[in-house]
Amino acid sequence: MYAMIQTRPDIAFSTSSVSQWSHNPSEEHEQGAQRILRYLDSTIDYCITYGGADSEVKLTGYVDANFASDKHTSKSTTSYVFMFNGGAISWCAKRQATVALSSTEAEYIALCQAAREAAWLRQLLTELGVYNGKPERLPERDREWQIRRVMVFCSL
C-alpha cells in the first residue's frame, strides 16, 4: 500500500482493486496480489523523474472515468494524475461516491474531482513559490469537449 500511495502511481488502480477484498480474499485475489509483486520486481529500477529535457515548469493534469466499473455496486471509477515539471506529484484511482447514470455523468464527476485537486495543487505550488499560478488545462481525450457541449446545451 505504501508503494501505491507514495512512490508508484502505476500500481494505484490494481492495488486498490485487490485491497477491497483483503477481508475475505479468494485465490483470484491472491493471484492478483502476486502479479502486482512480480510487476514491482520486474520494474524495480523505475522511478519518478522531475525536470529533464523540458525545462519549462508546468502543472499538467490527466483525468478519466470508467463508467459502472464495479459490478457489485455499479459505481464508476475516477482516475487522475497531475504532473509537475515532468514527474507525477498527485494521483488518484478510486470508486466514485455516487452511482452515475451515464458515462458522461461519470466523466463529469471525475472532472470535478480533478479540478478540485488542480486548484489545491496550484495554490500550494504558488505559495511555495515554484509555480506562477497560470491556469492549468485538464486534457481528457474527446470527452471533455462532449461534456462542455452538454453543459452549454443544458444551460440554454
Side-chain angles (χ1 to χ4, degrees), residues 104 108 111-112 143-156:
T104 302
Y108 183 68
L111 283 170
C112 288
R143 291 286 173 114
E144 183 178 17
W145 176 248
Q146 292 175 3
I147 289 172
R148 285 184 184 165
R149 275 196 331 208
V150 169
M151 290 173 57
V152 169
F153 178 75
C154 290
S155 65
L156 294 177

Side-chain angles (χ1 to χ4, degrees), residues 14-35:
S14 56
T15 303
S16 177
S17 297
V18 170
S19 298
Q20 293 176 12
W21 299 98
S22 61
H23 66 283
N24 188 19
S26 68
E27 187 174 324
E28 180 182 354
H29 302 111
E30 184 179 336
Q31 290 172 355
Q34 289 175 351
R35 184 175 299 140

Side-chain angles (χ1 to χ4, degrees), residues 6-73:
Q6 299 296 329
T7 61
R8 298 295 298 260
D10 52 340
I11 63 166
F13 181 77
S14 56
T15 303
S16 177
S17 297
V18 170
S19 298
Q20 293 176 12
W21 299 98
S22 61
H23 66 283
N24 188 19
S26 68
E27 187 174 324
E28 180 182 354
H29 302 111
E30 184 179 336
Q31 290 172 355
Q34 289 175 351
R35 184 175 299 140
I36 294 168
L37 293 174
R38 281 195 304 271
Y39 173 77
L40 287 174
D41 186 48
S42 66
T43 59
I44 199 150
D45 294 329
Y46 286 19
C47 60
I48 299 173
T49 306
Y50 299 96
D54 184 13
S55 61
E56 182 182 0
V57 177
K58 63 181 179 177
L59 178 65
T60 308
Y62 302 93
V63 61
D64 196 13
N66 189 355
F67 175 63
S69 57
D70 188 339
K71 63 182 177 182
H72 300 291
T73 63

